[in-house]
Amino acid sequence: MDSSVFEIKVKCIENMQDTAASLVQSQNNLTRDEKKALMTSNAFSRLDKAEIDNTRAEKESALKLAMRYYLLSLSQCDGNNLSVFRVISLWVDNPGLDLEDASDADSGPLGQLLHAIPSWKFITVLPQLAPRMSNENTPFARHLKQIIKTCAIDHP
């Protein structure tokens, strides 16, 4: 997440967890009020962690939804080809995005939608894609190589 508020919250929770862990180790020496404060802190820590996990899940869901609609637009319409820049931007900024998730049975996995886009639409973004090629065997690298290979074959 790029939000400073979110990052501060994550750091704060990590600090609270470290403090709680050290207090748990010395729990025998704590007073009744300190034990009560520790239990309260642990409860709030669990709530904050759940909130952070929920925020990350919402971000992932919004990212997949945005990618899906940009990809559908590119594959079904020749009028708005500028969306390819947004697709590439989102994809490159989130290389761990699971393009094989088939949660939407109607339009298929994102990877299938990505490869349904005509190769000529990727020609303008090849300068942004080529430097990201690698020998890694990650889904990102495999899809990237396939796009570049298709462009090279279709447009020598």
Side-chain angles (χ1 to χ4, degrees):
M1 297 287 195
D2 293 332
S3 166
S4 61
V5 173
F6 182 79
E7 294 300 326
I8 290 170
K9 188 172 208 167
V10 169
K11 287 179 185 177
C12 182
I13 289 172
E14 289 171 356
N15 289 340
M16 286 175 52
Q17 288 174 341
D18 291 342
T19 303
S22 66
L23 286 175
V24 166
Q25 291 175 353
S26 63
Q27 193 170 9
N28 295 336
N29 301 332
L30 297 178
T31 65
R32 187 180 70 122
D33 289 339
E34 290 172 330
K35 287 180 182 180
K36 191 174 187 179
L38 176 62
M39 289 175 44
T40 304
S41 176
N42 285 339
F44 283 120
S45 176
R46 284 191 299 273
L47 289 173
D48 288 340
K49 178 143 178 45
E51 182 181 350
I52 286 173
D53 292 342
N54 188 36
T55 301
R56 286 186 175 137
E58 285 178 5
K59 178 199 176 232
E60 181 82 12
S61 176
L63 173 64
K64 286 182 179 181
L65 193 61
M67 283 288 287
R68 178 166 308 283
Y69 286 117
Y70 280 126
L71 291 169
L72 285 169
S73 168
L74 284 168
S75 65
Q76 296 176 2
C77 177
D78 289 336
N80 185 11
N81 295 328
L82 294 177
S83 295
V84 73
F85 291 102
R86 192 63 188 138
V87 166
I88 297 305
S89 175
L90 288 171
W91 187 38
V92 168
D93 286 345
N94 300 282
L97 178 65
D98 184 12
L99 296 177
E100 302 307 320
D101 182 19
S103 59
D104 186 359
D106 294 339
S107 55
L110 294 176
Q112 183 179 346
L113 291 172
L114 183 67
H115 296 295
I117 297 171
S119 62
W120 63 268
K121 292 186 180 187
F122 288 108
I123 298 298
T124 56
V125 293
L126 282 179
Q128 286 83 19
L129 295 178
R132 289 175 169 75
M133 285 186 65
S134 68
N135 289 331
E136 296 176 2
N137 191 20
T138 62
F140 177 81
R142 285 192 302 273
H143 287 290
L144 182 61
K145 287 176 188 174
Q146 182 62 40
I147 289 170
I148 293 175
K149 180 181 175 183
T150 303
C151 287
I153 290 170
D154 294 348
H155 312 283

